[in-house]
Amino acid sequence: MTATTTHHRICPLCEACCGLEIKVQAGKVISIRGHDADVFSAGYICPKGVALKDLHEDPDRLRTPLIKRNGVFEEASWDEAYAEIAHRLPPLMAQHGRNATAVVVGNPSAHKIGLLTYFGKLARALGTKNVFSASTLDQMPKQLASGLMFGHWLSVALPDITRTDYLLVLGANPLVSNGSMWTVPDFKGKAKALQARGGKLVVIDPRRTETAAVADAHHFIRPNADVFLLAAMVNTLFAEGLVTLGTVADWVNGDAEVQLAVTPFTPEAVASRCGISADTIRALTRDLAGAPRAAVYARIGTCTQEYGTLASWLVDVLNTLTGNLDREGGVLFAKSAAFASNTAGKPGVGKGVTTGRHQARVSGAPEVYGELPITCIAEEIETPGEGQIRALFTVATNPVLSSPNGPRLAEALDTLDFMVSMDIYLNETTRHADVILPGVSPLEDFHYDVAFPQLSWRNHARYSPPVLPAAPGQPEEWQTLLTLAAIVQGKGAHIDANTLDDAQFAEDAQRLFGAHADAVMRATQGLRGPQRSLEVALRTGPYGDGFGTQPDGLTLAKVMASNATGGIDLGELQPRIPEMLRTPSGKVELAPPSLLQDLQRAAHDLRGLAPDLVIIGRRDVRTNNSWMHNLPVLAKGPFRCTALVHPVDATRLQLQDGALAEICNGPRSVQAQVHISDEMMPGVVSLPHGWGHNLPGAKLHLAAERPGTNLNALLDDQLRDPLSGNAVLGGVAITMRAATAPAPAQTDS
Ligand SMILES: Nc1nc2c(c(=O)[nH]1)N[C@H]1C(S)=C(S)[C@@H](COP(=O)(O)OP(=O)(O)OC[C@H]3O[C@@H](n4cnc5c(=O)[nH]c(N)nc54)[C@H](O)[C@@H]3O)O[C@H]1N2
Ligand SMILES: Nc1nc2c(c(=O)[nH]1)N[C@H]1C(S)=C(S)[C@@H](COP(=O)(O)OP(=O)(O)OC[C@H]3O[C@@H](n4cnc5c(=O)[nH]c(N)nc54)[C@H](O)[C@@H]3O)O[C@H]1N2
Ligand code: SF4
Ligand SMILES: [Mo]
């Protein structure tokens, strides 16, 4: 009998970063379960972790590059694929300039160190203003608010869930999503422990979600009204003399300005807009202020709306004004072992953040952290003139399904002169490419999380080696990115990525370590690519060995050696203010001027009427955005792409349970299967995103059997939060009526 080997691997699929135990026999995965000894996730796993086996084995997953010739994709060697790009791209750039190129990077890149740390090299080589990412479909408002308040976009205040007494959650469903901008595997277990010690979990959501179902209290809120609720809670804190800054009192600027700015937002003024009574708003505020230790957490429901940045900001204003910022049991900042800007440079002060250094050509939308809003891509391709996008790189993203007005984007992509996709599937977006370059399966890749330890409920360092070997000749994704960068710079298709990487590392070492550069080069000999960057980041990080100056400190070898025992635990989060601040003032900026100004937009809107029927999104445990519907273990079971409608609305609109309805937003419309449910707030419909796998030319056989509806075909690509450029994905006014066409076979399988 063939021996079974056991491997420990961090799951790369969502932000929870669970440690998995994977058993392999004769080169095949035979089981995947949670790794009980994992210091961070302690054996927790969800069905998507198990699906890594299906992903690895999926016959539709691309294993070789594809080149489109005469409209048909043909398998090609890596040399042929690179040669095609080297042949077509540089002349185009020579003729039309750098801003005729664009690059868009998507969600999986946040989970892959190779993509995350080398993507910038391609973007810099292109030298274009047209850099886009899924961040503007997601968390850009939170990044911007955190950057303005604390000086860096990855300095995010995280609920100290294991020690708090009161957790208020808005617009997030961590029981299903497993947390976002907050790495917290087994949220449910931690929430139960909070309740067992007498604490409370309160949820604000237009749907009675899975998280709301286990909470002590749940309040419906009208979508897009969080800014009003939160501002009224801040108003109440001041009105009732409940403000306390606690331990950070010496480090906060702007509380008086905030008090003035929220004056219009009394509980009475916002109650009808929120669908929450003034008494409830006051009670919520008193409970939050009265809890010994409390934390407010909000996520995508509060980000992907017209006031995303304001809502994200007010969450931390509440945390600060209740004395819960930077204290145990309140909200704290992680201290990551590697790659964190808030552990680098001079402690306690920094450059802060600036936005609007350039603008999108067509809409004028401001740059934020080097990016333009992803919803600008279609118009930037369509609109003639200097800087019109003619060549596009997509890296691990599927914006035809994930971004509002996907059908418009799909049409625009067809007019490009050239498109290259780095992706593991031929899907709704990559079908438009001229060349597709596949990455390795996650099981063939080593893993270290760059971003999520900065967002983790507990400090830790964990590394996973590849579980299975990659196919011969298959480059790692960082090598592909470096090769593309070289091609873009006109260096041809035959450069050696490793040689290039060595040369760039030598340059970086000189710049960063000066006289010590040679010693660093020697100490990292034998490593390359992201592994070498990781070694440097760990050793120079806050727990590092300082290349020998702190002999007990961390090195890559030590972190690697801890793999079998579940990684290295670096303890509970600790107070870090003022040391972690990177604002120019060295203070927490509670009242950034751009936010106070935008609050006037909300004050003005307070007088307007909320629409009577709006749509929002939803996630399911067995889905992951737009790309895992092709995996048997996740695709089975009840059909999940249904429109949830409250019984009162169903009656009013004459909609039948299980029947198709037509949902319209201006000129756009889609059809979806109705599911009548009192989980919904009346006047609110919920439809998940990431579906619509019925577009011609994609190769996703299983997903195409039950394609579902593309919510983003309904949404408007012109609606954004003006400060962050984030797309508005929820609270959008719709009309709905029974569809005349018969329902397709979308019943349970
Ligand atoms: N209406 C609505 N729209 C939404 C949302 C919503 O709530 N409502 N949520 C938004 C959010 S939060 C996000 S993050 C975005 C995500 O939007 P996208 O960035 O488009 O991400 P995914 O839909 O996850 O698609 C991931 C792509 O990466 C590919 N891929 C997977 N693994 C790898 C790999 O290892 N290497 C490479 N090269 N490619 C890989 C997949 O095949 C797929 O094409 O969607 C957003 N869209
Ligand atoms: N199973 C699964 N897990 C995932 C993903 C997935 O697709 N599937 N995607 C991953 C990604 S990329 C991300 S970013 C995270 C997101 O993680 P979460 O932020 O937890 O995302 P959702 O589960 O969509 O929860 C958002 C909630 O906001 C509510 N909501 C909508 N509009 C409003 C509003 O205006 N106000 C308030 N207060 N609530 C509102 C919705 O009803 C929903 O319950 O999940 C990640 N995890
Ligand atoms: S919650 Fe599921 S998908 Fe997310 S990291 Fe854990 S196992 Fe993977
Ligand atoms: Mo996301």
Side-chain angles (χ1 to χ4, degrees):
M1 201 185 123
T2 338
T4 303
T5 51
T6 303
H7 308 257
H8 298 114
R9 216 265 181 221
I10 300 165
C11 177
L13 296 174
C14 91
E15 297 180 41
C17 304
C18 301
L20 308 178
E21 182 169 285
I22 304 179
K23 293 207 189 288
V24 173
Q25 210 177 56
K28 256 187 111 76
V29 172
I30 54 167
S31 74
I32 299 183
R33 53 189 296 272
H35 183 199
D36 293 333
D38 190 282
V39 296
F40 184 70
S41 59
Y44 182 76
I45 186 171
C46 86
K48 293 196 298 298
V50 179
L52 282 171
K53 173 180 162 68
D54 286 5
L55 175 60
H56 186 75
E57 294 170 2
D58 187 354
D60 284 341
R61 185 171 61 79
L62 302 179
R63 271 98 171 151
T64 62
L66 300 179
I67 300 179
K68 197 185 272 164
R69 297 199 197 284
N70 303 318
V72 181
F73 278 113
E74 293 172 6
E75 290 193 357
S77 70
W78 282 90
D79 284 345
E80 286 165 336
Y82 288 145
E84 178 78 8
I85 301 167
H87 173 66
R88 293 183 58 182
L89 190 69
L92 209 146
M93 289 175 71
Q95 191 185 347
H96 298 288
R98 297 184 166 279
N99 288 326
T101 69
V103 59
V104 49
V105 60
N107 172 281
S109 70
H111 302 265
K112 302 196 94 186
I113 186 172
L115 288 177
L116 196 60
T117 56
Y118 278 68
F119 165 75
K121 295 185 193 281
L122 172 61
R124 280 191 294 278
L126 286 168
T128 175
K129 288 199 297 193
N130 296 312
V131 177
F132 308 94
S133 89
S135 292
T136 49
L137 297 171
D138 185 349
Q139 80 289 355
M140 198 55 116
K142 183 73 191 169
Q143 291 182 196
L144 180 56
S146 296
L148 291 168
M149 294 179 80
F150 310 118
H152 191 267
W153 65 268
L154 262 174
S155 290
V156 173
L158 309 162
D160 188 14
I161 189 167
T162 55
R163 293 179 288 193
T164 197
D165 303 298
Y166 186 94
L167 178 59
L168 178 64
V169 172
L170 301 99
N173 188 11
L175 231 79
V176 165
S177 69
N178 288 293
S180 179
M181 298 304 272
W182 183 23
T183 290
V184 57
D186 193 18
F187 173 86
K188 187 179 181 179
K190 292 175 179 69
K192 294 252 172 218
L194 158 74
Q195 290 166 325
R197 52 174 199 270
K200 295 240 177 316
L201 170 66
V202 178
V203 172
I204 312 277
D205 197 299
R207 178 178 157 241
R208 192 170 60 251
T209 60
E210 293 76 357
T211 305
V214 304
D216 298 277
H218 164 237
H219 303 279
F220 283 134
I221 185 169
R222 294 290 302 162
N224 194 23
D226 301 82
V227 62
F228 305 114
L229 170 67
L230 293 163
M233 289 178 72
V234 174
N235 177 303
T236 305
L237 284 178
F238 283 109
E240 301 196 356
L242 298 172
V243 170
T244 167
L245 295 175
T247 53
V248 296
D250 289 344
W251 306 104
V252 174
N253 267 346
D255 41 329
E257 287 89 334
V258 169
Q259 179 173 12
L260 193 64
V262 297
T263 318
F265 301 91
T266 61
E268 279 72 18
V270 306
S272 75
R273 191 71 161 75
C274 297
I276 303 179
S277 73
D279 285 349
T280 304
I281 295 173
R282 289 202 172 88
L284 275 170
T285 314
R286 289 173 198 148
D287 287 350
L288 180 73
R293 301 172 300 180
V296 187
Y297 166 73
R299 209 36 271 283
I300 201 156
T302 62
C303 282
T304 53
Q305 49 166 274
E306 278 180 67
Y307 300 105
T309 308
L310 287 178
S312 302
W313 161 63
L314 287 168
V315 164
D316 282 332
V317 170
L318 272 180
N319 281 321
T320 308
L321 295 178
T322 51
N324 285 303
L325 180 66
D326 202 45
R327 79 150 159 194
E328 288 179 9
V331 290
L332 290 163
F333 298 93
K335 188 191 253 185
S336 170
F339 300 114
S341 293
N342 68 25
T343 62
K346 189 169 171 208
V349 67
K351 284 203 300 250
V353 302
T354 323
T355 66
R357 290 164 295 182
H358 55 261
Q359 279 74 32
R361 179 180 65 106
V362 179
S363 66
E367 155 279 338
V368 178
Y369 302 138
E371 294 184 26
L372 296 171
I374 193 167
T375 44
C376 292
I377 296 179
E379 66 194 20
E380 292 289 343
I381 296 173
E382 292 163 357
T383 313
E386 174 91 30
Q388 179 182 13
I389 296 173
R390 292 163 187 275
L392 176 70
F393 286 86
T394 72
V395 179
T397 189
N398 189 10
V400 167
L401 292 194
S402 351
S403 195
N405 212 349
R408 175 183 180 184
L409 179 62
E411 270 185 41
L413 295 180
D414 272 337
T415 68
L416 287 167
D417 292 342
F418 193 50
M419 175 170 159
V420 178
S421 291
M422 284 180 68
D423 206 286
I424 57 173
Y425 283 108
L426 169 46
N427 65 16
E428 297 78 12
T429 295
T430 62
R431 69 194 167 124
H432 297 275
D434 297 285
V435 180
I436 309 179
L437 305 169
V440 290
S441 146
L443 298 183
E444 298 165 344
D445 211 354
F446 89 90
H447 190 91
Y448 185 96
D449 278 303
V450 173
F452 302 117
Q454 306 185 46
L455 302 168
S456 285
W457 72 276
R458 189 177 175 91
N459 293 314
H460 60 100
R462 295 175 303 156
Y463 174 99
S464 335
V467 174
L468 295 165
Q474 163 76 49
E476 295 183 51
E477 288 185 301
W478 66 269
Q479 292 169 321
T480 305
L481 284 165
L482 267 189
T483 308
L484 291 176
I487 291 173
V488 162
Q489 289 164 327
K491 294 180 183 164
H494 294 291
I495 62 104
D496 176 49
N498 292 341
T499 312
L500 202 63
D501 188 54
D502 288 343
Q504 290 187 357
F505 181 71
E507 262 175 46
D508 291 347
Q510 279 303 336
R511 190 166 37 88
L512 296 171
F513 300 105
H516 303 290
D518 286 348
V520 170
M521 300 283 290
R522 273 195 304 282
T524 54
Q525 227 163 25
L527 294 170
R528 60 166 44 110
Q531 229 173 20
R532 176 163 50 193
S533 334
L534 174 59
E535 166 82 318
V536 173
L538 281 169
R539 298 183 74 171
T540 57
Y543 312 89
D545 85 334
F547 284 106
T549 57
Q550 311 283 332
D552 293 336
L554 290 186
T555 61
L556 178 57
K558 279 186 198 167
V559 179
M560 280 176 159
S562 72
N563 171 260
T565 52
I568 296 177
D569 178 35
L570 296 168
E572 289 170 316
L573 306 191
Q574 304 289 340
R576 287 193 58 198
I577 286 179
E579 154 274 311
M580 54 65 61
L581 295 173
R582 292 294 182 275
T583 50
S585 62
K587 298 272 176 81
V588 174
E589 295 296 353
L590 213 53
S594 56
L595 299 183
L596 293 188
Q597 196 190 345
D598 200 38
L599 198 59
Q600 291 174 14
R601 181 170 61 100
H604 184 73
D605 181 23
L606 193 49
R607 282 171 248 142
L609 280 179
D612 64 4
L613 191 66
V614 298
I615 197 158
I616 59 170
R618 162 170 110 245
R619 285 173 162 75
D620 183 279
V621 177
R622 288 181 186 270
T623 71
N624 195 22
N625 296 326
S626 73
W627 69 280
M628 294 186 75
H629 300 136
N630 207 50
L631 308 179
V633 72
L634 300 182
K636 68 184 184 195
F639 181 60
R640 299 183 175 91
C641 188
T642 53
L644 302 184
V645 182
H646 189 272
V648 167
D649 293 319
T651 307
R652 176 171 65 96
L653 301 166
Q654 297 180 307
L655 302 174
Q656 302 291 320
D657 191 64
L660 270 191
E662 182 159 11
I663 310 175
C664 302
N665 171 20
R668 288 170 292 275
S669 76
V670 297
Q671 294 199 343
Q673 187 181 316
V674 170
H675 182 69
I676 299 176
S677 166
D678 67 3
E679 275 172 20
M680 295 311 300
M681 183 179 199
V684 186
V685 174
S686 158
L687 184 67
H689 77 284
W691 295 85
H693 303 292
N694 50 0
L695 300 177
K699 185 172 159 237
L700 296 162
H701 287 96
L702 186 60
E705 286 177 19
R706 288 197 293 175
T709 305
N710 179 8
L711 165 62
N712 282 316
L714 192 67
L715 302 184
D716 184 346
D717 53 352
Q718 301 296 302
L719 281 185
R720 290 186 282 271
D721 166 33
L723 293 179
S724 65
N726 208 92
V728 173
L729 304 174
V732 173
I734 53 162
T735 57
M736 209 168 164
R737 61 166 185 260
T740 40
Q746 302 237 0
T747 47
D748 297 2
S749 70

